[in-house]
Amino acid sequence: MGRRFPASGLLAAAVAILAAAPALAAKPRFDAAPDARIMSKRLFDIGVADPDRDGNQDIFTTNHKFRSVFLRNVGGRRYRDDIDRMALGPDPQFPGLDLLREPPDDAPGIYIWPSDEPGDAGRLHVTSTGIAATGTVSMYTRRVNVSGVDRAAADVGYDRDNRPQIDFSIQPGGEFVIASNGLADLPITFDFDDTGIAPDQIGVGSLAVPPSSLLFRFKLRDRHGAAYADVGGDSDQDVFITTGGLGGGIASKKFFGLVVDQLLVSHEDGYADQIGISGMVKGRCRGRSAAYSDADGDGRLDLLVTCEGDRPLLFTQTLRDGFVQLVAPRALGTAYRWAQLDRGGSELLVSNRRGLEVWSSRRGRWRRTETIRAGRDADQIALGDYDNSGTLDVLVTGRNGVELLKNRRGRLHPVRSRLGLPGRAAAATFVDYDNDGRLDVSLAPQGIYRRAGERFARTGVLNMRRVGYAIVEWMDFDNDGRRDPLIATSRREFSPSSHVIRKRNVTRGGHWLEVELTGGIWNREAFGASVRVRLKGGRKLTQWVGQNDDARHSQGHYRLYFGLGHRRLAKRLVVRWPGGGKTRMRGVRADRLLRISRAR
């Protein structure tokens, strides 16, 4: 039994306990975060990952054909862009290709670079400094146009497959420019004649990287969604990146197999693209988003790739780096999200004109188990147990408003009251910003809504001007137990530039516990696992792997966050592993990052 207080001393004891406890439900406070050079030009998605599992959460972006970043978190103090060092760019052979600007050309050589300067967007430049050269450019596209010819000749013809081919010659100081409708998506092949020029006299991209031979190929990529998971079996995470598809032209037989996704598998020197041997075939999919799960509970990775205007693709892992395609649910929607609504496998939530659909896989067959007349044509689906009932609830945002769906025994029910939330928002996520053990809501553009009893109250913090498109993520970049906001906003989805907000959370709040799980060798990220924390007094907090990842089209944020309030100890912690099995811990001290691995 706990310590007893006389009746007359109950009030004094309560006051003493509250005085000793951290201030809870505090107004959110934020300081400036360390600088991170996030590329905001044509920003399509921004996400969080930790592919080397060093405990420091990194930041990545996808920016179509434009420069993306992978920002390495260096001890929570600074960020360093390692996208080229790790060979995570669109073409690792030519780092800097996606900078889309003119390289320094002082040294004698032939320089080749795509441009995106005003009035010059989508064009490929070939220039010469001090030397002459001849050769052929093969463009796997519908048509090309040559302009800006100066001290050069460029004759457009066609190969036997009726694809454009340019025979060129260029003199010292010469230049010609190629405009192509497929510059961002299709490979470009150069074949220089062996007439005295060497590969090290050729510079490709903004960094003027030389090719390995006089015959070489490069390409930009229309990158959209990136999903991080260990498919190679070495514990480090690999990256699947899905790309667009020529604005629908990918369906043409003329371009079949030329637009491909990427499966970047980690090795000692960075990443190598193994999509060609992975078994994953893009087909005509104009890729939008990518997300792993363990849909059928068999302990192996399943990858969902969504396609603009078409049903998604589904792959399951069978070998190291190897996948086979499965029959995907016949679900066409505006937003997709894996979720665990009950204790079975992961269901797929799909928003479309009918509402929010729930799809389940049983023995390899997909069926629609529920259609909720809410969440129609949503832009985003956020997850969290907002009422601490032990089940995963859903928050959808989109053109039809902000709607909260409560999970009751595995089925979703719309909450008819807005509970203080606004009618519209561009993006949303659940977050316990002050670690009081109750999930709050962060919206764009309205800012933070604090949980107050059964409702939410607007704080006026992190509010911003009206936006049409947003991504709201909360990470803990400095591992101090307080989640820090990472927000990107723009006027619309394909805006030329975005505004990125990063802050350091310095709110005075409660104690905390963060958990990272490592599953079996075929599911290192432990998709399908959940963690339940029981506190003194009987209160229970539950989180599921992946619920805190609110990137729009990408995946990589798998850490679980528990606000413990004034409690310095979790009485009990239980991990439910996918496919069965539990790990139980008692007397878990607070204020730390706890890593738990599944016994082999």
Side-chain angles (χ1 to χ4, degrees):
M1 295 182 64
R3 182 181 176 185
R4 292 181 178 272
F5 295 97
S8 60
L10 285 176
L11 179 59
V15 170
I17 291 172
L18 290 174
L24 303 183
K27 184 174 182 178
R29 293 181 58 245
F30 301 93
D31 284 346
D35 183 46
R37 296 185 179 181
I38 297 171
M39 288 291 183
S40 59
K41 185 174 185 177
R42 295 290 183 184
L43 179 65
F44 189 70
D45 204 9
I46 188 167
V48 177
D50 182 17
D52 60 358
R53 304 178 192 270
D54 67 352
N56 296 314
Q57 294 183 322
D58 310 309
I59 297 172
F60 66 90
T61 68
T62 60
N63 300 64
H64 304 285
K65 70 174 181 179
F66 304 88
R67 179 70 171 181
S68 300
V69 295
F70 182 88
L71 299 175
R72 174 80 69 188
N73 184 340
V74 184
R77 300 181 303 275
R78 63 186 179 91
Y79 281 94
R80 179 185 69 214
D81 188 5
D82 277 359
I83 191 166
D84 290 333
R85 186 180 311 184
M86 297 169 64
L88 284 172
D91 193 330
Q93 183 183 357
F94 298 107
L97 183 68
D98 53 353
L99 289 170
L100 303 178
R101 61 173 182 254
E102 184 175 359
D105 57 359
D106 298 333
I110 304 296
Y111 296 90
I112 304 164
W113 80 95
S115 173
D116 192 60
E117 296 300 318
D120 196 35
R123 296 179 180 177
L124 183 70
H125 288 253
V126 182
T127 64
S128 171
T129 299
I131 64 174
T134 59
T136 303
V137 186
S138 298
M139 308 284 290
Y140 298 85
T141 183
R142 296 184 184 92
R143 61 187 181 274
V144 298
N145 178 53
V146 177
S147 62
V149 180
D150 181 20
R151 282 174 281 184
D155 299 321
V156 178
Y158 293 88
D159 63 14
R160 54 188 178 182
D161 294 319
N162 202 33
R163 292 168 176 157
Q165 182 173 286
I166 302 169
D167 294 319
F168 70 87
S169 63
I170 189 167
Q171 300 301 314
E175 177 181 23
F176 63 94
V177 181
I178 302 171
S180 165
N181 65 312
L183 186 63
D185 303 275
L186 296 169
I188 300 169
T189 301
F190 274 78
D191 187 2
F192 281 84
D193 296 331
D194 186 7
T195 55
I197 188 173
D200 61 5
Q201 293 177 295
I202 303 170
V204 179
S206 299
L207 301 181
V209 178
S212 58
S213 71
L214 294 177
L215 173 62
F216 59 92
R217 175 182 289 188
F218 63 85
K219 69 177 300 183
L220 291 165
R221 298 177 190 270
D222 186 14
R223 296 169 129 196
H224 290 162
Y228 287 76
D230 176 22
V231 303
D234 61 355
S235 80
D236 285 348
Q237 290 176 342
D238 311 297
V239 193
F240 174 85
I241 301 176
T242 188
T243 63
L246 289 169
I250 190 175
S252 170
K253 293 181 179 180
K254 189 174 183 178
F255 308 113
F256 186 80
L258 294 175
V259 181
V260 296
D261 296 324
Q262 292 176 285
L263 180 63
L264 303 177
V265 178
S266 66
H267 55 83
E268 291 182 359
D269 299 323
Y271 287 82
D273 193 354
Q274 298 188 15
I275 195 69
I277 61 173
S278 69
M280 291 190 283
V281 178
K282 186 175 182 65
R284 65 182 188 181
C285 175
R286 300 168 60 187
R288 295 279 289 181
S289 65
Y292 286 102
S293 182
D294 180 11
D296 51 8
D298 66 354
R300 295 181 181 244
L301 293 178
D302 301 308
L303 175 65
L304 183 84
V305 182
T306 67
C307 310
E308 177 74 9
D310 205 347
R311 59 188 288 187
L313 304 179
L314 183 66
F315 304 93
T316 191
Q317 189 174 14
T318 55
L319 301 169
R320 296 296 181 214
D321 314 334
F323 290 77
V324 296
Q325 187 168 353
L326 301 178
V327 176
R330 303 181 67 86
L332 181 60
T334 57
Y336 299 78
R337 187 76 186 257
W338 293 111
Q340 290 174 260
L341 300 182
D342 55 27
R343 292 188 177 181
S346 294
E347 288 100 346
L348 182 64
L349 306 183
V350 182
S351 175
N352 54 34
R353 60 182 176 82
R354 289 185 290 269
L356 190 69
E357 298 179 345
V358 181
W359 290 78
S360 300
S361 174
R362 297 292 183 268
R363 297 179 181 177
R365 293 187 177 183
W366 286 93
R367 64 188 184 95
R368 187 173 59 231
T369 58
E370 189 177 5
T371 300
I372 304 99
R373 302 299 178 185
R376 293 180 177 88
D377 294 326
D379 295 322
Q380 186 193 14
I381 303 169
L383 305 173
D385 182 11
Y386 89 97
D387 56 359
N388 288 340
S389 64
T391 56
L392 199 56
D393 306 305
V394 175
L395 182 67
V396 292
T397 55
R399 66 195 70 179
N400 291 314
V402 178
E403 297 181 272
L404 183 62
L405 287 76
K406 183 178 176 63
N407 186 342
R408 297 175 184 167
R409 298 179 182 177
R411 298 185 70 84
L412 297 175
H413 302 269
V415 177
R416 296 306 177 188
S417 170
R418 292 196 180 278
L419 301 179
L421 295 174
R424 289 182 178 273
T429 186
F430 288 107
V431 58
D432 183 1
Y433 75 88
D434 57 358
N435 289 326
D436 68 350
R438 298 178 296 181
L439 288 183
D440 312 295
V441 172
S442 176
L443 298 170
Q446 296 91 341
I448 299 174
Y449 280 70
R450 176 177 59 83
R451 185 71 187 275
E454 295 298 319
R455 298 175 62 81
F456 296 90
R458 187 172 186 176
T459 66
V461 179
L462 291 183
N463 61 325
M464 57 204 76
R465 294 179 180 178
R466 184 176 180 178
V467 298
Y469 183 78
I471 304 151
V472 179
E473 282 260 33
W474 284 70
M475 59 191 296
D476 183 7
F477 76 85
D478 53 2
N479 290 329
D480 69 349
R482 290 172 288 202
R483 293 178 67 182
D484 310 294
L486 173 64
I487 303 171
T489 64
S490 58
R491 291 184 178 180
R492 60 186 184 277
E493 185 175 19
F494 296 101
S495 288
S497 63
S498 299
H499 178 58
V500 178
I501 300 170
R502 286 188 60 249
K503 297 288 185 180
R504 181 170 181 261
N505 187 355
V506 294
T507 304
R508 186 179 176 217
H511 295 287
W512 54 276
L513 183 66
E514 297 182 5
V515 179
E516 289 184 347
L517 301 180
T518 300
I521 59 174
W522 289 98
N523 183 3
R524 296 280 190 191
E525 286 65 38
F527 294 113
S530 66
V531 175
R532 175 165 292 182
V533 173
R534 182 190 293 269
L535 304 177
K536 187 176 180 180
R539 190 175 193 182
K540 300 176 183 177
L541 307 172
T542 311
Q543 293 218 349
W544 293 258
V545 170
Q547 75 169 67
N548 296 309
D549 196 335
D550 284 301
R552 273 293 181 94
H553 305 284
S554 302
Q555 181 192 53
H557 190 180
Y558 307 125
R559 188 176 294 186
L560 308 181
Y561 303 87
F562 298 91
L564 306 184
H566 63 267
R567 298 168 179 85
R568 298 177 181 271
L569 199 72
K571 185 177 179 181
R572 184 181 301 171
L573 182 150
V574 179
V575 182
R576 292 181 180 271
W577 297 101
K582 298 179 182 179
T583 297
R584 295 181 172 88
M585 302 175 69
R586 294 180 179 272
V588 180
R589 61 180 176 83
D591 303 329
R592 62 174 174 147
L593 170 61
L594 180 65
R595 288 173 160 174
I596 305 172
S597 298
R598 184 171 192 172
R600 294 182 180 274

